[in-house]
Amino acid sequence: MADTSRLLQEMNDRSREVFRRVVEGYLANGDPVGSRTLTRDFSEKVSAATIRNVMQDLEYLGLLDSPHVSAGRIPTQLGLRMFVDGLLEVGTPDEEDRAQIDATLGSNSNDVAGILDRVGSALSGVTHGASLVLAPKHEAPIRHIEFVSLAHDRALAVLVFSDGHVENRLFQPPVGQTPSSMREAANFLNSLVEGKTLSELQGTIKAEMKKRRQEIDALAAELVESGAVIWDGEDDYPERLIVRGRANLIGEKGQAEDLERIRTLFDDLERKRDIADFLELAEDGDGVRIFIGSENKLFSLSGSSLVVSPYMNSDRKIVGAVGVIGPTRLNYGRIVPIVNYTAQLVGKLISDRS
């Protein structure tokens, strides 16, 4: 990809203004911007022909594109990236937007999951996009683990934490489990869990299984391994992702191909494909990050943009993220401060309740 900062520096004032006005016009209404439109309120007196020549140069650089021969120009993905990185002016959320987010977080409830669900709905409503909230994993030490059989192909792992928090997680147990093998598996795990968080327990289980496999029944060993996957690796991410506002991505102008792209995006989200990378996207840099189209493989087919910001706990450790999905012509100047503001408030909420 071309160095957008270098391209921006090499452009003269006229080219920079033409480029900025084309992008801002496109983001405002989604339509191509023509040369005659630009000449009406351009900062200097120039002809439409001069503007067209500048637009052709910008198209040659890969920053603009013309969807039809006789139409105006729209920014390319590279052009949007250059605009976001070098020309975007970001302020603060307006009072009404802040009030809606504040009202969501004003609850005194200790149900963090419920509050984050409402945050997702509020963020979707304020931005008119689809919201993503990645909830934090519970990292308190574990006090006790139980396995409960629900059916021949379904079991429940009950996790009791030292702070009184309880989580119930469904999983598929190995075939042939008996009440005694389930008790044996739970006893084995409880002999290891004292004082350990889930993340700390993962490595301990694997190491102990190698040393003590002969000490427990084969069925119990299988149950420990199959039960462990509910807190080991990417299978833990799907439970923690909250998605709200699917309908917001389908506007009145939605064409069949746009609907198909949106359907593809949400199929991926619902299958939780690549969601294990979602938090890593936020951890790669401080503050709000913007991913446009194919810059993130999760959104490459849908042609969507993602504005995402991490939030931290009281130890300044990144534990989750909030974000907004929308078309590439998002109002970035408005969305970015809203996402940043929401992430800061969620971080404070998590810290206050930890």
Side-chain angles (χ1 to χ4, degrees):
M1 180 180 289
D3 185 345
T4 56
S5 61
R6 178 183 57 80
L7 281 175
L8 189 60
Q9 291 172 1
E10 292 177 354
M11 291 165 60
N12 59 34
D13 291 342
R14 178 182 293 172
S15 296
R16 192 178 290 112
E17 182 174 357
V18 168
F19 173 71
R20 180 178 59 79
R21 288 180 179 272
V22 169
V23 177
E24 289 176 346
Y26 171 74
L27 294 180
N29 54 45
D31 296 326
V33 179
S35 56
R36 293 191 180 277
T37 301
L38 295 181
T39 56
R40 294 188 192 125
D41 55 350
F42 207 71
S43 61
E44 59 178 306
K45 189 68 174 178
V46 292
S47 66
T50 300
I51 297 293
R52 280 196 296 273
N53 289 335
V54 174
M55 293 168 81
Q56 287 174 356
D57 292 340
L58 294 171
E59 188 172 353
Y60 176 77
L61 292 172
L63 301 175
L64 299 183
D65 190 19
S66 49
H68 307 290
V69 175
S70 60
R73 266 53 170 202
I74 62 174
T76 61
Q77 180 173 309
L78 175 63
L80 284 173
R81 170 49 59 190
M82 188 171 83
F83 175 81
V84 164
D85 289 345
L87 296 175
L88 179 64
E89 297 180 359
V90 177
T92 57
D94 64 36
E95 187 174 338
E96 183 178 350
D97 291 337
R98 289 200 307 269
Q100 290 190 52
I101 301 297
D102 289 345
T104 304
L105 297 179
S107 171
N108 293 321
S109 171
N110 289 321
D111 179 13
V112 174
I115 294 175
L116 292 179
D117 184 57
R118 293 194 293 276
V119 167
S121 297
L123 192 57
S124 173
V126 168
T127 63
H128 304 294
S131 67
L132 300 178
V133 178
L134 194 61
K137 288 187 288 188
H138 201 78
E139 283 297 320
I142 304 168
R143 179 188 300 162
H144 190 71
I145 295 176
E146 285 291 338
F147 291 121
V148 180
S149 178
L150 301 178
H152 71 282
D153 60 347
R154 293 176 66 205
L156 192 69
V158 182
L159 310 177
V160 182
F161 294 84
S162 59
D163 61 0
H165 180 80
V166 178
E167 288 189 14
N168 299 319
R169 304 189 181 187
L170 285 170
F171 70 103
Q172 184 172 353
V175 177
Q177 286 299 319
T178 64
S180 61
S181 66
M182 297 189 83
R183 283 194 300 272
E184 189 175 359
N187 290 338
F188 173 80
L189 288 174
N190 285 315
S191 69
L192 304 175
V193 301
E194 185 176 0
K196 293 184 178 67
T197 64
L198 284 177
S199 56
E200 293 168 342
L201 184 60
Q202 293 172 20
T204 303
I205 290 176
K206 292 174 182 177
E208 288 294 322
M209 284 294 292
K210 289 181 181 180
K211 291 193 301 184
R212 298 169 58 182
R213 182 175 290 273
Q214 301 301 320
E215 298 179 25
I216 62 173
D217 181 85
L219 279 177
E222 288 184 47
L223 182 59
V224 169
E225 290 179 333
S226 64
V229 301
I230 65 172
W231 58 73
D232 184 14
E234 66 181 36
D235 283 346
D236 191 40
Y237 280 83
E239 298 178 356
R240 300 190 295 122
L241 183 72
I242 302 168
V243 183
R244 292 290 179 269
R246 174 174 183 159
N248 287 339
L249 294 184
I250 306 174
E252 295 178 1
K253 296 182 179 180
Q255 303 297 321
E257 60 181 20
D258 295 326
L259 298 181
E260 186 57 36
R261 288 173 182 166
I262 293 167
R263 190 175 297 113
T264 298
L265 168 63
F266 273 88
D267 283 347
D268 284 349
L269 285 174
E270 285 163 4
R271 285 196 299 267
K272 308 306 186 286
R273 181 187 300 169
D274 300 323
I275 292 302
D277 297 332
F278 187 74
L279 183 54
E280 293 176 12
L281 296 177
E283 289 177 337
D284 287 342
D286 295 331
V288 179
R289 300 196 68 202
I290 300 172
F291 299 90
I292 301 171
S294 59
E295 292 176 355
N296 174 10
K297 59 185 178 180
L298 180 59
F299 305 101
S300 60
L301 295 179
S302 63
S304 302
S305 285
L306 167 66
V307 180
V308 60
S309 179
Y311 58 86
M312 302 179 183
N313 61 13
S314 56
D315 297 324
R316 304 300 295 168
K317 176 184 177 184
I318 292 176
V319 293
V322 298
V324 171
I325 304 172
T328 54
R329 63 176 190 86
L330 273 176
N331 183 346
Y332 297 98
R334 177 173 176 264
I335 301 299
V336 168
I338 290 175
V339 170
N340 183 51
Y341 182 74
T342 305
Q344 292 178 12
L345 287 182
V346 171
K348 184 177 185 304
L349 177 147
I350 297 298
S351 298
D352 290 345
R353 285 163 170 74
S354 63

